[in-house]
């Protein structure tokens, strides 16, 4: 009898734990849709690629376009900008990247970046001709004072990383597809 | 502390109800007869002021929600419509917006009171923890409320504050998208903030109920910090405390009303009267004044520490500055509750209060010298006070002698 009682208890314990575990899994499965609905929805994701024509941008100027609700900075860099960027030794960079890594080969004059400061997400100034470009001729974030250079690399201030590069490619010399 | 009940209904309906749902008995015991130390000063009225403010925010909020539209294209205009066209809308909207500020004035006084009189000490630790939880919920509620008018400051506050989560390693970016419902702050963000802004005050109300429950088990602390010893030490809550609290609420309403009627926008920021624009960040973004001390701490960490980037470091200190409050009951080991009897504690306490004002000031300045260095010193003192000064002072200090009882402290020796 005694051994029967133990089998009984272990059986009960097992059923108890198994039921509890199933209940927990079931609850988690039921809760997941309630959480996942907060993620970007299909309409937001559907807007995920755009094509931008570069033909109207003049050398030295920049344009801003919207992609996924974020500003995209496109700058037609001057030969000076590029030379200045290439001259920077890697050791001086907080988030090391060569000028070549920031652009598409053969299209070095075009710098395409997400215009969002990698610190806490403000939009840096430097797109319009008169606006502050910071100490390194690129962009300046007014929120907590981050300076980016002519390759969009972080040079000074609290931002940890260079301006992020979106996925994009050249469809022709004057047309890019972002996303 | 409920003692024996003095509720003896004679009315048959009252008796009938009492044996089924003793709600009248409960109210009489907890809202009228509850024994309260007779030496409470006006710093103890801020609890009632806070309860009043919660009711004000909920009442005005529900009414605002009748005319407010949570949609990125319409929100800004709908708030302007409330301010210009809805009957009394200007006053209701101003009451809600100023009310949030007054709510924080009251909560800071209330917390400061607790820190001075040692109200967090045994046996009131749970009461204190629930209070800190309410404070956290209030901050979340106020932050999301501030986003609703969808002005420039609303939008950039939402952007910068949600971005804090992106500092978390690995899960940061997916979490950020989950919170925002997109790749940037946008319409989905506004809608969920409205939903949560409506929900959280009721969660706060529930935690307030627990807070008061946890208060009514040990009863109130008091300015001398000596526990109640006999009924000579107490007065019934009603009418003594109810009337005093009401007077305090009326006095509190004077500056509140002044702001609402004469300077409804003075506590806000002019940039918030420009509609949100995701392409342009205002030149000088600052949070609402009540977040400035914590914002100053966030910004003070502008240097990398070992493998921790400045960004993550700022976020850790920002979170830590609030988390540390949960542990105060165990950091301060002094058995003497009231700061009045703690000669060594007192100067450090007042320096802490001064430092908190300083942090508020620093949070509003640009991130340049001398403010950057001052912010670091100020942040160091904020943490030093809790993590170093409180534990050490409570071990080396000899407190002054305490009065034998509350009665004695009020009436002098021999009083009863
Ligand atoms: C803990 C209590 C609450 C706090 C601290 C709080 C705080 C705030 C703040 C700071 C604003 C921004 C005001 C402005 O700058 O214009 C706001 C707006 C708003 N709140 Fe609340 N709120 C609370 C409770 C509620 C409740 C219960 C509702 C009910 C739905 C509500 C509905 C609204 C609405 C519709 C707005 C947008 C209109 C406006 O901007 O004035 N609030 N809230
Ligand atoms: S968000 Fe750009 S420096 Fe902080």
């Amino acid at each position: 009898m005694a051994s029967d009682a133990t089998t009984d208890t272990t059986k009960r314990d097992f059923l108890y734990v198994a039921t509890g575990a199933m209940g927990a899994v079931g609850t988690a499965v039921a809760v997941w849709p309630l959480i996942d609905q907060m993620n970007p929805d299909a309409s937001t994701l559907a807007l995920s690629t755009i094509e931008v024509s570069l033909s109207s941008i003049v050398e030295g100027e920049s344009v801003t376009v919207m992609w996924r609700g974020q500003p995209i900075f496109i700058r037609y860099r001057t030969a000076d900008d590029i030379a200045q960027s290439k001259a920077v030794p890697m050791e001086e960079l907080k988030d090391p990247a060569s000028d070549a890594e920031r652009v598409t080969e053969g299209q070095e004059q075009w710098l395409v970046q997400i215009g969002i400061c990698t610190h806490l997400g403000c939009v840096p100034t430097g797109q319009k001709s008169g606006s502050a470009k910071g100490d390194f001729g690129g962009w300046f974030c007014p929120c907590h004072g981050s300076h980016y250079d002519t390759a969009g690399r972080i040079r000074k201030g609290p931002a940890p990383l260079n301006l992020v590069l979106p996925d994009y490619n050249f469809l022709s010399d004057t047309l890019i597809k972002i996303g | 502390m409920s003692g024996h009940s003095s509720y003896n209904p004679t009315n048959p309906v009252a008796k009938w109800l009492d044996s089924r749902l003793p709600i009248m008995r409960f109210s009489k015991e907890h809202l009228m007869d509850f024994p309260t130390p007779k030496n409470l000063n006006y710093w103890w009225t801020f609890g009632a002021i806070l309860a009043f403010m919660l009711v004000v925010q909920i009442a005005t909020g529900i009414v605002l929600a009748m005319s407010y539209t949570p949609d990125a294209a319409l929100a800004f205009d709908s708030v302007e419509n409330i301010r210009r066209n809805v009957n009394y809308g200007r006053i209701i909207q101003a009451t809600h917006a100023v009310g949030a500020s007054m709510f924080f004035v009251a909560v800071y006084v209330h917390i400061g009171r607790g820190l001075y009189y040692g109200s967090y000490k045994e046996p009131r630790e749970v009461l204190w923890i629930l209070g800190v939880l309410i404070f956290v919920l209030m901050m979340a509620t106020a932050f999301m409320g501030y986003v609703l008018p969808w002005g420039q400051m609303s939008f950039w506050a939402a952007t910068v504050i949600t971005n804090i989560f992106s500092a978390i390693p690995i899960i940061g970016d997916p979490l950020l998208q989950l919170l925002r419902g997109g790749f940037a702050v946008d319409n989905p963000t506004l809608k969920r903030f409205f939903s949560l802004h409506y929900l959280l005050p009721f969660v706060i109300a529930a935690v307030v109920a627990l807070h008061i429950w946890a208060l009514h088990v040990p009863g109130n602390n008091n300015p001398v910090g000596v526990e109640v010893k006999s009924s000579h030490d107490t007065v019934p809550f009603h009418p003594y405390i109810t009337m005093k609290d009401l007077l305090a609420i009326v006095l509190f309403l004077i500056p509140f009303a002044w702001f609402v009627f004469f300077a409804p926008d003075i506590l806000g920021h002019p940039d918030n009267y420009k509609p949100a624009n995701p392409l342009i960040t205002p030149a000088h973004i600052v949070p609402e004044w009540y977040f400035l001390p914590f914002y100053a701490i966030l910004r003070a960490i502008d240097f990398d520490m070992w493998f921790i980037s400045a960004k993550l470091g700022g976020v850790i200190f920002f979170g830590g500055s609030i988390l540390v409050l949960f542990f105060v009951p165990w950091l301060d080991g002094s058995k003497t509750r009231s700061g009045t009897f703690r000669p060594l504690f007192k100067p450090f306490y007042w320096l802490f209060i001064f430092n908190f004002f300083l942090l508020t000031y620093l949070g509003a300045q640009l991130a340049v010298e001398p403010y950057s260095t001052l912010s670091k010193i100020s942040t160091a003192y904020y943490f030093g006070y809790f993590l170093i000064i409180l534990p050490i002072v409570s071990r080396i200090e000899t407190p002054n002698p305490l009065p034998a009882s509350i009665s004695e402290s009020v009436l002098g020796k021999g009083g009863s």
Side-chain angles (χ1 to χ4, degrees):
Chain A
M1 286 310 277
S3 73
D4 258 11
T6 13
T7 346
D8 224 35
T9 340
T10 30
K11 208 156 97 189
R12 272 160 197 267
D13 280 353
F14 174 76
L15 287 173
Y16 183 69
V17 171
T19 315
M22 276 317 288
V25 171
T27 310
V29 169
V31 165
W32 176 243
L34 301 181
I35 294 174
D36 189 42
Q37 59 80 27
M38 290 176 70
N39 269 318
D41 66 12
S43 73
T44 308
L45 296 172
L47 300 172
S48 284
T49 65
I50 53 164
E51 287 180 14
V52 185
S53 163
L54 307 176
S55 49
S56 62
I57 309 173
V58 287
E59 190 171 351
E61 297 280 292
S62 311
V63 298
T64 307
V65 295
M66 284 297 261
W67 174 65
R68 293 166 148 196
Q70 300 167 301
I72 298 294
F73 288 175
I74 304 174
R75 181 173 287 183
Y76 188 164
R77 300 192 298 168
T78 60
D80 247 16
D81 287 341
I82 300 171
Q84 201 184 322
S85 158
K86 285 195 165 148
V88 180
M90 283 294 144
E91 311 81 67
E92 267 181 37
L93 298 173
K94 192 170 179 182
D95 180 14
S98 68
D99 189 72
E101 290 171 71
R102 305 283 302 161
V103 292
T104 308
E105 210 185 322
Q107 304 282 4
E108 281 83 8
Q109 69 275 36
W110 295 111
L111 183 57
V112 181
Q113 328 173 70
I114 299 179
I116 290 186
C117 179
T118 57
H119 180 229
L120 292 175
C122 294
V123 177
T125 62
Q127 284 293 91
K128 296 214 182 78
S129 43
S131 65
K133 290 184 159 60
D135 296 354
F136 302 88
W139 290 266
F140 171 68
C141 181
C143 289
H144 316 97
S146 289
H147 299 253
Y148 298 90
D149 67 12
T150 53
R153 295 171 300 195
I154 179 66
R155 299 296 291 278
K156 198 170 132 191
L161 301 171
N162 303 334
L163 290 177
V164 176
L165 306 177
D167 278 338
Y168 71 96
N169 50 43
F170 281 84
L171 300 178
S172 74
D173 275 352
T174 54
L175 189 67
I176 56 170
K177 183 169 143 243
I178 303 173
Chain B
M1 288 288 276
S2 30
H4 75 284
S5 180
S6 64
Y7 183 67
N8 301 306
T10 45
N11 177 310
V13 179
K15 273 187 169 158
W16 180 88
L17 181 64
D18 192 48
S19 55
R20 284 159 182 82
L21 179 71
I23 188 168
M24 301 309 280
R25 174 182 304 277
F26 181 85
S27 308
K28 182 144 196 310
E29 284 171 10
H30 286 275
L31 301 176
M32 298 183 73
D33 296 347
F34 190 73
T36 313
K38 63 183 177 189
N39 60 342
L40 296 189
N41 58 32
Y42 272 93
W43 299 113
W44 261 264
T45 59
F46 281 85
I49 291 171
L50 283 164
F52 170 77
M53 285 313 300
L54 183 59
V55 174
V56 169
Q57 289 307 94
I58 291 181
T60 51
I62 289 176
V63 176
L64 284 172
M66 293 179 187
S67 306
Y68 170 79
T69 314
D71 184 287
L74 305 168
F76 186 86
D77 291 341
S78 81
V79 175
E80 286 308 307
N81 182 60
I82 292 171
R83 292 166 62 104
R84 288 152 202 254
N85 300 328
V86 173
N87 299 337
Y88 295 102
R90 192 191 82 68
I91 293 168
I92 297 166
Q93 196 273 340
T95 305
H96 195 76
V98 173
S101 278
M102 297 305 287
F103 207 154
F104 276 92
V105 168
V107 84
Y108 283 133
V109 173
H110 194 65
I111 294 173
R113 187 279 317 262
L115 287 173
Y116 182 78
Y117 291 109
S119 300
Y120 46 80
K121 286 178 194 174
E122 196 267 312
R124 296 185 183 80
E125 301 94 328
V126 173
L127 173 59
W128 172 263
I129 289 171
L130 289 167
V132 180
L133 192 62
I134 294 170
F135 179 52
V136 173
L137 288 168
M138 266 177 72
M139 292 203 282
T141 308
F143 160 63
M144 289 193 269
Y146 190 59
V147 175
L148 301 184
W150 210 242
Q152 271 292 63
M153 282 294 165
S154 300
F155 182 89
W156 292 102
T159 299
V160 169
I161 301 298
T162 50
N163 233 305
I164 286 180
F165 291 92
S166 75
I168 303 172
I170 305 160
I171 60 159
D173 284 320
L175 184 64
L176 187 60
Q177 278 186 21
L178 181 84
L179 288 173
R180 291 175 170 177
F183 303 105
V185 169
D186 210 334
N187 201 29
T189 325
L190 175 60
K191 286 178 185 259
R192 67 194 52 192
F193 278 15
F194 178 59
S195 169
L196 295 173
H197 184 69
Y198 209 136
L199 167 71
L200 285 189
F202 297 93
V203 176
I204 294 177
V207 184
V208 168
L210 294 178
H211 188 68
I212 294 173
W213 185 3
L215 168 70
H216 279 210
V217 175
N220 294 78
N221 180 31
N222 64 81
V224 293
V226 177
E227 287 293 304
V228 167
K229 299 214 164 91
S230 74
S231 58
H232 293 296
D233 292 341
T234 64
V235 289
F237 188 71
H238 178 75
Y240 294 93
I241 307 296
T242 45
M243 290 305 124
K244 187 173 176 175
D245 283 347
L246 272 177
L247 173 62
I249 289 171
V250 170
L251 294 175
F252 189 78
L253 276 168
I254 295 171
F256 188 177
W258 181 81
F259 278 119
V260 169
F261 292 110
F262 298 105
D265 296 325
I266 204 171
L267 297 166
H269 199 290
D271 269 310
N272 220 26
Y273 295 99
K274 291 185 199 152
N277 179 353
L279 291 178
I280 298 169
T281 308
H284 185 34
I285 59 162
V286 276
E288 292 280 83
W289 70 265
Y290 39 81
F291 292 135
L292 290 174
F294 302 103
Y295 190 61
I297 291 175
L298 173 78
R299 288 194 314 181
I301 311 303
D302 57 2
F303 47 91
D304 297 347
M305 286 170 283
W306 308 292
F307 57 94
I308 298 171
S309 69
K311 179 175 167 181
L312 181 59
V315 172
I316 291 172
F317 275 71
F318 174 73
S321 64
I322 292 155
L323 273 183
V324 72
L325 292 173
F326 283 105
F327 299 97
V328 174
W330 295 277
L331 291 167
D332 179 0
S334 173
K335 291 275 172 278
T336 304
R337 288 201 187 88
S338 172
T340 312
F341 301 97
R342 301 186 56 194
L344 193 53
F345 162 87
K346 232 191 271 181
F348 287 113
Y349 172 82
W350 289 113
L351 187 58
F352 177 80
I353 299 296
F354 168 78
N355 187 59
F356 197 70
F357 280 106
L358 182 63
L359 280 171
T360 308
Y361 169 78
L362 293 170
Q365 306 310 312
L366 290 170
V368 293
E369 291 301 347
Y371 307 117
S372 311
T373 307
L374 272 175
S375 300
K376 289 184 188 97
I377 298 172
S378 221
T379 300
Y381 187 73
Y382 181 94
F383 283 96
Y385 177 77
F386 290 117
L387 298 175
I388 300 168
I389 294 170
L390 280 187
I392 293 181
V393 163
S394 59
R395 268 154 201 93
I396 61 174
E397 175 186 58
T398 321
N400 296 340
L402 293 171
S405 70
I406 291 174
S407 254
E408 189 191 289
S409 80
V410 177
L411 302 169
K413 280 215 161 53
S416 68

